[in-house]
């Protein structure tokens, strides 16, 4: 394009509202482009990316920048028409991306707005839209009066806490296809989550009880099996008591509370038997003609962009308005994603107390964030920023457009509180869309409108999601994943026409037509995760915590271990005991597809002739709505620990595309550690065109690496080639602690690297500590997930006592076998690293014998030798942990003590 050619403003940009002084580019604008805006003409100073903003008039230092008629920042320099509007965060994000364009050298505005003030003396109650004088219907599943009408009829397997999450997933996988021969049963699905599995009472227990209760009685649930061990801080008995005391209609849903009291396999058999008996009964519930007044719409967004507030959110707000006019309800959420848009939200409110309650929710959320040293404004992800949402104010103003100006805010409820009437609701929740959605579903929402700019594939297991994408180009890229193209509005289609079409589509989906997400099989769950701080009293101590130095702790010498050899696998850095292909998701939304890829490639035996035993995915909940620098540091350190683990022959990172910890973020993190990002594969669900395309790309990359690789070399090596982790669950006897201490001495004496969490039960007694390290002062030598660089005996920082989080942190250090000493029942194993489960409790062994590899006796020397023999068998690939092939495995990154949901 010649620089002299003038471009009409309407062809390249949009104002969200009349009176704005910055515009949004609807395509990339090259530096030097000349724009004609009314009678004005100006040039674009720097290349402006799609979705990013440029000034359209002179803005002096100290003046506000406006979008949607609301301020989102203050100019720090004099801005001229055509100047690329940038804050410090957006410049940092774009520089990380290596886009190959010249960026402004310095930011030209700062994130600052005048805090909202509610003038109670001038408050006037608002008015709700009038009801339609006719009825429209859908085909739904009528439940009891208090449960309402469902849009689906699912059988749900609910892991009451994280300890039974893998049971729920495994039983659901086992029963896939069983419901296909039934006309009125949609599917059998798992709801597995990360919460409630710690030894002590979690801070979010009340929220957790309320969420579980709401899911159990949800109108889309035909039957539910809730599973626990009976020893957790939140048990089935507690959940039943809560359901009864809070008057949830438990008796109107087919249900059973199952407590695992035997082996994992036998317990799966028992669960399957229960569900098989339910099938005819659940099938008897049929769809009937029901008024749209029974629809409860969760309004959500994720992977938002600059156009979410122009096309997608205004579209769903119009459809929500119509649902409410027919007597239904809609619910807005994500508290911190409305900061800066309070004046818009509170333009039309039922009464003063509702407005006050909304502002109180915002205040509490800010306080919750401050306890963890974070800011409620620390929200926009990398994907948000790349596509034009520079700060929380811009994101909030766009998100608030899910509330149509005609609608009145009727109710403000807390996370997962039940919706009891029609109208427009706000629910308190974090901006993490998956955590927020779980609360909305528990509150009773039976449909989800999900607006996305980047192309998020979010879908809840038993509630249909209509995904609305904001631009036509993204819709074309992801048409197999997206339901509605709101970008057609910017192409010239009338919003009234689009909303009428989407309302019809909503009725079809509510009546049983499958959404794109249901067809693809997308499914993700995450509850509002436990927060570790309940006030700010520990903040300074935690913020200025010193990092471990990575130096091993000297161990007291024991008698020499007889030379032991095993058949090790040679690789460039030494020897190991297994080789896998790792597909590492960078967020929860990428996890399911990473898992599908790993399963498919393993079934095809890809690389088996070149020494690969299997493919592994490490599915977790982090990477998106995660706040706090310390939590993000934990995240990237641990993921890099796994990418460089001795087991990993080939590693590929799979991004969703809109998360904070996207592929470019991980490339940058690798470079900071002097690791070559070219050694790894990279794939993107959104940028590579959706599930089908990205699965092919992943397979092609592994095929190319495997075809160019040589077969492995095996050599007989000693214990000095091994790295072993130890983990305990619950109290252990002094004799058992002495046995483990003796084994540690043997291993370290033979040159083995040993890693143990610093909060282990092993070191509770002074005599045991002295046996291992003498009078040496014990403190952590490794940060959570930090790879071992110096061999020897190490203590690992484990900020929480969550079993799976500790297991995950251990794996990140590079350990190749984990010895788990269990207390009340077997625990989940690791999906990549073999775990040997031992116990000193005869009653536990008798109850779970099939899942426990060894029972310890009273002779600590014998106890030390027996696990050593198992270690050698595992290292020689002659023994495989039962939990591997049973599916009782789990993986979860910790957020540390200062991580919070944002």
């Amino acid at each position: 394009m010649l620089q002299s050619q003038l471009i009409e403003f309407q062809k390249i940009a949009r104002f969200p509202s009349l009176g704005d002084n910055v515009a949004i580019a609807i395509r990339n604008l090259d530096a030097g482009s000349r724009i004609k805006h009314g009678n004005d003409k100006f040039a674009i100073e720097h290349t402006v990316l799609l979705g990013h903003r440029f000034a359209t008039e002179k803005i002096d230092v100290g003046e506000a920048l406006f979008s949607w008629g609301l301020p989102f920042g203050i100019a720090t320099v004099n801005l001229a028409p055509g100047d690329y509007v940038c804050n410090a965060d957006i410049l940092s994000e774009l520089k990380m991306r290596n886009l190959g364009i010249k960026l402004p050298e310095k930011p030209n505005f700062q994130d600052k707005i005048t805090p909202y003030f509610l003038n109670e003396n001038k408050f006037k109650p608002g008015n709700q839209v009038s009801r339609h004088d006719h009825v429209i219907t859908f085909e739904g599943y009528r439940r009891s009066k208090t449960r309402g009408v469902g849009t689906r009829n699912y059988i749900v397997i609910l892991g009451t806490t994280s300890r039974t999450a893998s049971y729920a997933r495994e039983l659901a996988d086992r029963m896939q296809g069983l419901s296909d021969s039934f006309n009125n049963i949609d599917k059998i699905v798992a709801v597995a989550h990360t919460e409630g599995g710690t030894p002590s009472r979690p801070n979010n227990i009340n929220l957790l009880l309320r969420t579980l209760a709401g899911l159990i009685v949800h109108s889309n649930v035909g039957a539910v099996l809730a599973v626990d061990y009976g020893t957790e801080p939140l048990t089935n008995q507690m959940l039943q008591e809560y359901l009864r005391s809070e008057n949830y209609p438990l008796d109107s849903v087919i249900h059973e509370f199952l407590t695992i009291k035997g082996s994992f396999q036998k317990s799966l058999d028992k669960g399957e038997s229960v569900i098989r008996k339910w099938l005819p009964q659940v099938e008897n519930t049929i769809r009937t003609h029901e008024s749209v007044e029974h629809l409860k719409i969760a309004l959500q967004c994720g992977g938002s962009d600059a156009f979410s507030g122009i096309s997608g959110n205004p579209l769903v707000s119009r459809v929500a308005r119509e649902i409410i006019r027919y007597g239904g309800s809609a619910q807005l959420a994500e508290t911190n994603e409305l900061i800066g848009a309070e004046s818009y939200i509170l333009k039309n409110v039922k009464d003063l107390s509702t407005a006050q309650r909304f502002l109180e929710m915002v205040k509490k959320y800010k306080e919750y964030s401050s306890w963890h040293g974070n800011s409620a404004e620390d929200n926009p992800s990398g994907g948000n920023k790349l596509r034009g949402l520079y700060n929380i104010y811009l994101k909030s103003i766009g998100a608030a457009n899910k509330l149509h100006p005609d609608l009145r805010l009727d109710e403000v409820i807390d996370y997962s509180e039940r919706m009891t009437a029609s109208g427009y609701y706000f629910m308190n929740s974090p901006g993490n869309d998956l955590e927020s959605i779980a609360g909305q579903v528990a509150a009773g929402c039976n449909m989800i409108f999900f607006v996305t700019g980047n192309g998020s594939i979010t879908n809840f297991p038993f509630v249909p999601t209509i995904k609305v994408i904001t631009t036509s180009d993204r819709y074309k890229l992801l048409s197999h994943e997206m339901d509605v193209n709101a970008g057609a509005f910017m192409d010239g289609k009338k919003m009234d026409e689009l909303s009428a079409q989407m309302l019809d589509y909503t009725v079809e989906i509510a009546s049983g037509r499958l959404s794109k997400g249901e067809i693809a099989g997308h499914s993700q769950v995450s509850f509002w995760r436990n927060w570790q701080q309940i006030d700010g009293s520990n903040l300074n101590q935690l913020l200025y915590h010193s990092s471990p130095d990575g130096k091993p702790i000297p161990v007291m010498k024991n008698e020499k271990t007889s030379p032991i050899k095993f058949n090790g696998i040679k690789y460039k850095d030494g020897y190991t005991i297994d080789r896998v292909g790792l597909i590492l998701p960078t967020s929860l939304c990428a996890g399911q597809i990473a898992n599908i890829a790993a399963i498919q490639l393993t079934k095809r035996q890809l690389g088996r002739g070149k020494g690969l035993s299997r493919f592994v995915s490490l599915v977790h909940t982090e990477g998106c709505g995660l706040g706090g620098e310390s939590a993000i540091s934990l995240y990237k350190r641990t993921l890099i620990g796994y990418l460089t683990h001795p087991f990993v022959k080939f590693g590929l990172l799979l991004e969703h595309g809109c998360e904070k910890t996207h592929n470019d973020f991980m490339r940058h993190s690798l470079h900071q550690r002097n690791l070559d990002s070219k050694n790894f594969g990279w794939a993107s669900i959104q940028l590579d065109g959706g599930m089908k395309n990205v699965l092919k790309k992943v397979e092609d990359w592994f095929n190319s690496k495997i075809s160019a690789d040589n077969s492995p070399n095996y050599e007989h090596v000693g214990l000095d080639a091994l790295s072993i982790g130890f983990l305990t669950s619950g109290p252990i006897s002094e004799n058992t602690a002495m046995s483990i201490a003796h084994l540690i001495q043997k291993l370290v004496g033979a040159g083995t690297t040993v890693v143990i969490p610093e909060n282990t039960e092993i070191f509770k007694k002074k005599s045991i500590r002295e046996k291992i390290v003498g009078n040496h002062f014990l403190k952590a030598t490794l940060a959570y997930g930090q790879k071992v660089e110096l061999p020897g005996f190490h203590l690992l920082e484990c900020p929480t006592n969550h079993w799976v989080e500790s297991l995950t942190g251990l794996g990140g250090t590079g350990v190749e076998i984990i010895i788990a000493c269990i207390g009340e029942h077997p625990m989940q194993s690791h999906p990549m690293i073999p775990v040997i489960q031992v116990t000193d409790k005869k009653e536990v062994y008798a109850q779970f014998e099939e899942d426990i590899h060894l029972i310890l006796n009273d002779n600590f020397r014998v106890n030390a030798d027996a696990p050593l023999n198992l270690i050698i068998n595992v290292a020689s690939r002659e023994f495989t942990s039962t939990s591997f092939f049973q599916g009782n495995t789990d993986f979860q990154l910790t957020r540390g003590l200062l991580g919070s949901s944002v």
Side-chain angles (χ1 to χ4, degrees):
M1 180 185 297
L2 298 174
Q3 288 193 359
S4 59
Q5 183 177 349
L6 280 172
I7 312 169
E8 289 291 336
F9 177 84
Q10 277 300 112
K11 292 182 178 180
I12 54 89
R14 291 288 185 276
F15 285 120
S17 295
L18 294 176
D20 290 349
N21 54 10
V22 299
I24 302 174
I26 61 173
R27 72 183 204 204
N28 287 349
L29 299 176
D30 293 334
S33 298
R34 297 182 65 228
I35 311 300
K36 184 177 185 300
H37 178 224
N39 295 324
D40 298 326
K41 300 172 185 176
F42 54 84
I44 298 297
E45 185 71 17
H46 294 85
T47 297
V48 177
L49 298 174
L50 169 73
H52 288 236
R53 287 166 168 80
F54 60 92
T56 57
E57 59 187 70
K58 183 173 175 290
I59 305 172
D60 291 334
V61 173
E63 290 185 343
L65 283 66
F66 288 89
S67 233
W68 288 280
L70 293 172
F72 66 88
I74 300 293
T76 55
V77 301
N78 292 326
L79 292 171
D83 282 351
Y84 195 164
V85 173
C86 295
N87 62 0
D89 278 354
I90 204 69
L91 287 178
S92 176
E93 178 67 28
L94 296 182
K95 287 174 183 175
M96 185 192 301
R97 297 279 186 167
N98 298 317
L99 298 169
I101 62 173
K102 184 179 179 182
L103 296 166
E105 293 182 5
K106 295 180 180 180
N108 51 32
F109 84 92
Q110 63 179 355
D111 305 337
K112 186 178 180 181
I113 64 170
T114 302
Y116 176 77
F117 171 73
L118 176 65
N119 190 331
E120 298 181 0
N121 294 325
K122 293 186 178 181
F123 178 84
K124 292 182 180 180
N127 297 308
Q128 190 54 283
V129 289
S130 60
R131 289 282 295 266
H132 281 301
D133 57 5
H134 62 284
V135 175
I136 61 172
T137 62
F138 72 102
E139 300 296 307
Y141 293 100
R142 175 164 286 280
R143 313 295 183 184
S144 67
K145 184 177 181 180
T146 49
R147 290 183 64 207
V149 176
T151 58
R152 295 291 183 269
N153 193 30
Y154 278 91
I155 295 175
V156 174
I157 305 160
L158 175 65
T160 303
T161 73
S162 61
R163 295 195 203 177
T164 49
S166 50
Y167 175 94
R169 285 191 289 262
E170 190 63 23
L171 182 56
D173 286 346
R174 178 197 272 210
M175 305 197 75
Q176 284 313 299
L178 187 63
S179 61
D180 291 351
S181 59
F182 294 86
N183 295 323
N184 297 318
I185 301 175
D186 287 285
K187 212 170 181 183
I188 300 167
V189 296
V191 172
H193 60 92
T194 61
E195 302 307 294
T198 52
S200 55
R201 179 185 173 96
N203 292 325
N204 67 345
I205 191 165
N206 292 328
L207 174 152
L208 184 53
L209 281 164
R210 190 167 64 235
T211 304
L212 293 169
L215 297 180
I216 285 172
V217 301
H218 192 278
S219 61
N220 284 8
V221 175
V224 60
L225 178 69
V227 186
D228 75 344
Y229 277 102
T231 59
E232 303 93 330
L234 192 161
T235 63
N236 276 347
Q237 182 179 345
M238 292 170 62
L239 181 53
Q240 289 182 75
E241 291 171 355
Y242 181 85
L243 282 154
R244 301 289 184 194
S245 66
E246 299 297 322
N247 297 315
Y248 283 81
L250 177 61
D251 292 333
S252 70
V253 60
I254 301 167
H255 68 275
E256 183 162 329
F257 292 92
L258 173 65
T259 295
I260 297 175
K261 297 191 176 187
S263 73
F264 192 75
Q265 194 64 40
K266 289 178 181 176
S267 297
L268 287 172
D269 293 342
K270 186 173 181 179
E272 179 176 349
S273 176
V274 170
I275 290 173
R276 283 183 178 275
K277 290 177 183 177
W278 285 344
L279 290 168
Q281 192 175 353
V282 179
E283 170 70 4
N284 285 337
T285 304
I286 62 172
R287 289 187 182 270
T288 53
H289 295 299
E290 302 292 345
S291 168
V292 167
E293 69 182 0
H294 296 293
L295 291 184
K296 300 176 180 180
I297 310 296
L299 299 171
Q300 267 292 333
C301 56
S304 301
D305 68 0
F307 306 106
S308 294
I310 295 176
S311 62
N313 290 335
L315 174 57
V316 300
S317 79
R318 284 179 177 240
V319 181
R321 180 189 63 184
E322 293 308 295
I323 296 292
I324 289 172
R325 292 193 70 193
Y326 284 113
S329 54
Q331 187 193 95
L332 183 65
E334 301 182 304
T335 307
N336 57 323
E337 294 191 5
L338 295 173
I339 294 171
E342 294 93 340
S343 61
Y344 180 88
I345 295 295
L346 299 180
K347 273 183 179 180
N348 186 7
V349 189
K350 181 176 70 174
D351 52 36
L352 180 60
S353 64
T354 301
Q356 291 169 330
R357 183 164 166 76
F358 173 80
L359 293 175
E360 183 62 24
M361 292 293 185
V362 173
K363 179 182 176 182
K364 286 183 177 179
Y365 196 94
K366 289 180 177 181
E367 184 180 32
Y368 151 81
S369 296
S370 70
W371 294 340
H372 300 83
N374 305 325
S375 169
E377 289 87 347
D378 182 28
N379 174 276
S381 68
N384 295 151
K385 293 174 183 176
L386 179 63
R387 288 178 64 85
L389 295 180
Y390 298 178
N391 59 25
I392 189 59
Y393 307 126
L394 278 176
K395 189 172 183 179
S396 294
I397 297 166
N401 276 273
K402 291 192 286 292
L403 171 58
H404 193 279
D406 294 348
L407 288 173
R408 180 183 71 184
L409 177 61
D410 292 308
E411 301 289 343
V412 173
I413 59 176
D414 208 347
Y415 187 87
S416 67
E417 275 190 45
R418 301 189 74 203
M419 302 163 70
T420 56
S422 63
Y424 197 94
Y425 284 73
F426 167 77
M427 184 195 76
N428 179 40
S429 82
N432 181 316
D433 41 88
L434 290 168
E435 294 184 18
S436 182
I437 286 171
Q440 290 182 298
V441 172
C445 292
N446 54 13
M447 290 276 288
I448 300 166
F449 291 172
F450 192 97
V451 178
T452 178
N454 285 269
S456 181
I457 61 168
T458 295
N459 205 73
F460 196 80
F462 61 79
V463 177
T465 300
I466 294 177
K467 278 170 281 192
V468 180
I469 199 157
T470 62
T471 58
S472 294
D473 285 344
R474 275 292 162 120
Y475 180 76
K476 291 172 186 174
L477 182 65
L478 296 163
S479 58
H480 293 295
E481 323 289 335
M482 300 294 118
D483 295 272
V484 176
N485 175 23
F489 169 69
M490 294 193 297
D491 300 336
K493 202 165 188 178
K494 298 294 185 183
M495 188 63 81
D496 286 344
E497 183 182 355
L498 284 171
S499 61
Q501 291 174 349
M502 185 174 168
L503 178 60
D504 290 342
Y505 185 71
T506 298
V507 172
E508 290 178 18
I509 297 295
S511 300
R513 177 179 173 178
L514 296 181
S515 69
K516 293 286 185 71
E518 290 175 303
I519 293 169
H522 298 317
S523 178
Q524 299 89 19
V525 178
S526 188
F527 295 174
W528 190 341
R529 294 202 65 195
N530 189 33
W531 48 90
Q532 301 300 322
Q533 307 303 316
I534 57 172
D535 56 38
S537 59
N538 297 318
L539 185 57
N540 285 337
Q541 179 183 351
L542 294 171
L543 283 173
Y544 302 108
H545 167 69
S546 59
S547 300
D549 59 15
K551 297 178 181 178
I553 300 169
V555 170
M556 301 292 288
K557 291 185 178 179
N558 196 354
E559 70 269 18
K560 288 186 177 180
T561 302
S562 300
I564 298 173
K565 299 283 186 179
F566 67 92
N567 209 20
I569 303 170
K570 176 70 175 172
Y571 76 111
K572 64 183 180 66
D573 294 330
Y575 299 90
T576 189
I577 65 173
D578 197 6
R579 296 299 262 164
V580 304
L582 176 63
I583 304 162
L584 189 60
T586 62
S587 65
L588 172 59
C589 291
Q592 184 187 19
I593 293 178
N595 195 47
I596 290 170
I599 292 170
Q600 289 180 352
L601 297 180
T602 299
K603 282 183 178 178
R604 292 172 192 165
Q605 298 189 356
L606 194 66
R608 193 65 59 89
K610 295 289 185 73
L612 283 187
S613 67
R614 61 210 154 96
F615 286 82
V616 175
S617 64
L618 300 175
V619 180
H620 56 87
T621 64
E622 302 311 297
C624 187
L626 171 63
E629 286 301 317
S630 62
I632 292 171
S633 294
L634 284 169
Y635 170 95
K636 60 186 178 182
R637 180 171 61 239
T638 308
L639 258 61
I640 290 173
Y642 278 98
L643 279 174
T644 57
H645 191 282
F647 282 8
V648 177
K649 191 169 189 178
F650 307 118
L652 176 142
L653 293 97
L654 177 64
E655 70 170 9
H656 187 210
C658 54
E659 57 267 74
K660 280 190 174 184
T661 50
H662 47 78
N663 277 350
D664 283 332
F665 172 91
M666 291 304 300
R667 285 190 184 95
H668 184 70
S669 300
L670 288 166
H671 293 156
Q672 287 178 325
R673 289 161 175 76
N674 297 316
L675 294 169
D676 189 350
S677 61
K678 294 178 182 177
N679 291 333
F680 306 99
W682 305 87
S684 173
I685 296 166
Q686 292 170 359
L687 296 180
D688 290 325
M691 180 174 171
K692 182 178 178 181
N693 289 348
V694 83
L695 286 173
K696 184 178 186 306
K697 181 175 183 179
V698 169
E699 182 173 0
D700 288 348
W701 184 83
F702 279 110
N703 265 321
S704 69
K705 299 299 288 186
I706 290 165
S707 62
D709 194 54
N710 298 317
S711 297
N713 294 318
Y714 298 89
E715 295 181 20
H716 281 86
V717 293
L719 289 173
D720 59 328
L722 278 177
S723 181
I724 308 292
F726 285 82
L727 194 57
T728 59
S729 169
I732 59 176
S733 68
E734 183 170 356
N735 183 70
T736 297
M738 186 63 74
S739 301
I740 295 173
H742 194 67
L743 176 57
I744 290 170
Q745 285 180 308
K746 279 192 168 189
L747 290 169
V748 176
T752 306
T753 290
V754 172
V755 184
I756 301 182
E758 62 177 340
N759 55 4
T760 178
E761 290 285 332
I762 298 169
F763 293 138
K764 290 291 175 72
K765 293 188 180 295
K766 182 180 178 182
S767 58
I768 307 299
R769 294 197 300 271
E770 289 179 346
K771 177 173 178 57
I772 299 178
V773 298
N775 294 321
H776 190 89
F777 178 68
L778 282 178
K779 66 175 183 178
T781 61
L782 297 172
Y784 181 92
Q786 180 183 345
K787 188 174 181 180
V788 172
E789 301 292 345
L790 300 173
F793 177 62
H794 288 276
L795 286 182
L796 175 71
E797 279 187 338
C798 278
T800 72
N801 54 8
H802 189 292
W803 173 266
V804 179
E805 290 182 4
S806 298
L807 198 66
T808 300
L810 263 182
T813 68
V815 297
E816 297 156 292
I817 298 171
I818 296 172
I819 306 293
C821 187
I822 61 165
E824 299 163 328
H825 56 78
M827 303 295 286
Q828 291 113 313
S829 290
H830 197 287
M832 188 171 90
I833 300 163
V835 177
I836 299 170
Q837 303 214 25
V838 305
T839 187
D840 59 358
K841 295 175 174 57
K842 294 179 181 179
E843 67 279 9
V844 173
Y845 185 75
Q847 190 175 1
F848 301 101
E849 182 177 352
E850 294 177 23
D851 302 330
I852 299 173
H853 306 112
L854 184 67
I855 183 168
L856 305 176
N857 57 34
D858 295 332
N859 187 325
F860 75 84
R861 292 183 184 277
V862 173
N863 286 345
D865 290 338
L868 185 56
N869 293 332
L870 270 176
I871 287 170
I872 297 305
N873 288 336
V874 171
S876 303
R877 296 165 298 284
E878 296 171 0
F879 175 81
T880 303
S881 170
T882 54
S883 55
F884 261 163
F885 51 80
Q886 287 183 342
N888 190 18
T889 62
D890 211 347
F891 183 89
Q892 181 57 42
L893 296 158
T894 188
R895 289 182 174 177
L897 298 177
L898 292 177
S900 61
S901 297
V902 299

